[in-house]
Amino acid sequence: MKFTILINEGPYQHQASDSAYQFAKAALEKGHEIFRVFFYNDAVNNATRLSVPPQDDRNVTENWAALAEQHNLDMVVCIAAAQRRGMLDAGEMERQGKDANNIHPAFRISGLGQLVEGGIQSDRLVTFGD
Amino acid sequence: MMEPWEENESPVKKFMFVNRKAPYGTVYALESLEVVLISAAFDQDVSLVFVDDGVYQLKKNQSTDGIGMKNFSPTYNALGDYDINKIYIEAESMKERGLTLEDLQELTYEDEDDDWAEKSSINVVSRAELAELMDAQDVVISS
């Protein structure tokens, strides 16, 4: 089956991203396909490459990045939600005239149309959040 | 073998956006509306549901002067222009909160099959009817 995963909550504060990660991992292990993982609302914060969790805790962003690397996952961060919350890649940093960027290279920034397309192209759209 | 979505270039799916939260306090209502407006560009079969505290999103005469936030409630008026005219409000949620249709803003669309007559987009449905509507969807996005 082909899935798109929608995550709506930030890392650590909420388990949504961890649950989505476990779901994605299990689905891929069972031979299913992940068309896209879309990060919306506070979930855009999952894409920061600057987080420094304690060494005995999981690193949510790196978990996603490793899974993406292994399975060639398309991980999309909503641009409108990201800009509100100070999540920028190098291109947006330049365009907005900011002095830093923080998006992990495993993620890409794009529009909400990518979420709608995920719903159209996938057999199931699964949401993780409140 | 062809997959269902390969049969034509733009398959139409039934998308339902379920709004469960109050308009302010959290960003869910505002950011849900942003997805709804984008979805209109994809020519899908889109409907909106307002349930639980989500019914407050359509409260008329909203003012955000005291909280320093943007009042985005006028944006719901634009839904008709985006051909989004299936709006379901759960009767029980309104009743539990002492609200009637009189308390909500009017949402209308122009019916192209009826000489562009202006019609209400709002349908009040029971909890049981809503369950049936949800069951008929391809994609349900709830926030």
Side-chain angles (χ1 to χ4, degrees):
Chain A
M1 192 173 272
K2 194 188 285 195
F3 292 99
T4 285
I5 294 174
L6 168 63
I7 307 172
N8 289 334
E9 310 293 342
Y12 306 106
Q13 168 84 4
H14 202 290
Q15 201 178 333
S17 182
D18 296 279
S19 301
Y21 168 76
Q22 300 295 350
F23 176 88
K25 205 161 158 253
L28 290 163
E29 279 164 10
K30 290 278 183 192
H32 297 292
E33 184 185 340
I34 308 279
F35 177 76
R36 182 166 291 148
V37 184
F38 194 88
F39 296 83
Y40 195 43
N41 300 141
D42 269 3
V44 297
N45 291 294
N46 285 285
T48 180
R49 66 167 193 278
L50 302 181
S51 58
V52 188
Q55 295 224 327
D56 58 354
D57 197 359
R58 83 274 185 224
N59 185 318
V60 173
T61 303
E62 291 301 339
N63 275 351
W64 276 115
L67 193 67
E69 164 99 34
Q70 194 184 344
H71 296 277
N72 200 22
L73 284 186
D74 186 24
M75 302 201 297
V76 177
V77 177
C78 169
I79 186 164
Q83 286 185 338
R84 269 192 189 113
R85 294 165 176 86
M87 300 294 298
L88 304 170
D89 63 8
E92 284 304 305
M93 173 187 82
E94 199 151 314
R95 187 150 27 152
Q96 305 296 337
K98 297 294 183 184
D99 61 2
N101 68 78
N102 51 1
I103 299 275
H104 191 290
F107 299 77
R108 67 185 178 94
I109 286 189
S110 189
L112 279 167
Q114 300 272 308
L115 169 61
V116 179
E117 191 201 20
I120 295 170
Q121 299 294 341
S122 305
D123 301 307
R124 294 281 189 281
L125 187 148
V126 186
T127 305
F128 292 84
D130 271 347
Chain B
M1 203 180 94
M2 287 224 313
E3 301 288 355
W5 57 85
E6 290 173 329
E7 286 169 15
N8 61 59
E9 218 165 89
S10 48
V12 174
K13 281 194 172 181
K14 289 165 83 80
F15 276 71
M16 175 177 273
F17 294 94
V18 182
N19 297 283
R20 298 175 290 131
K21 307 262 169 72
Y24 307 99
T26 65
V27 79
Y28 295 107
L30 170 64
E31 290 195 331
S32 172
L33 186 56
E34 289 181 355
V35 186
V36 170
L37 295 175
I38 295 288
S39 74
F42 286 78
D43 293 325
Q44 302 297 298
D45 183 355
V46 174
S47 59
L48 263 67
V49 169
F50 295 89
V51 68
D52 299 348
D53 278 352
V55 296
Y56 288 121
Q57 293 180 28
L58 296 183
K59 181 81 178 59
K60 69 162 76 145
N61 301 325
Q62 292 181 28
S63 167
T64 55
D65 291 347
I67 56 171
M69 298 177 80
K70 183 180 162 187
N71 178 0
F72 62 92
S73 64
T75 310
Y76 294 104
N77 284 317
L79 292 171
D81 298 331
Y82 283 83
D83 287 330
I84 296 173
N85 51 37
K86 288 194 283 277
I87 296 178
Y88 301 102
I89 304 179
E90 196 201 63
E92 287 89 336
S93 295
M94 275 202 295
K95 190 154 180 262
E96 285 160 6
R97 288 160 183 80
L99 295 172
T100 68
L101 273 184
E102 311 278 287
D103 299 306
L104 306 184
Q105 58 172 313
E106 288 175 23
L107 298 178
T108 59
Y109 71 104
E110 292 175 346
D111 188 352
E112 61 179 318
D113 299 325
D114 191 8
D115 198 22
W116 305 100
E118 193 173 29
K119 296 184 177 178
S120 176
S121 303
I122 292 180
N123 305 279
V124 177
V125 294
S126 70
R127 198 159 281 175
E129 287 168 327
L130 192 53
E132 281 179 32
L133 283 166
M134 279 184 187
D135 197 36
Q137 304 299 313
D138 297 304
V139 180
V140 177
I141 295 181
S142 142
S143 59

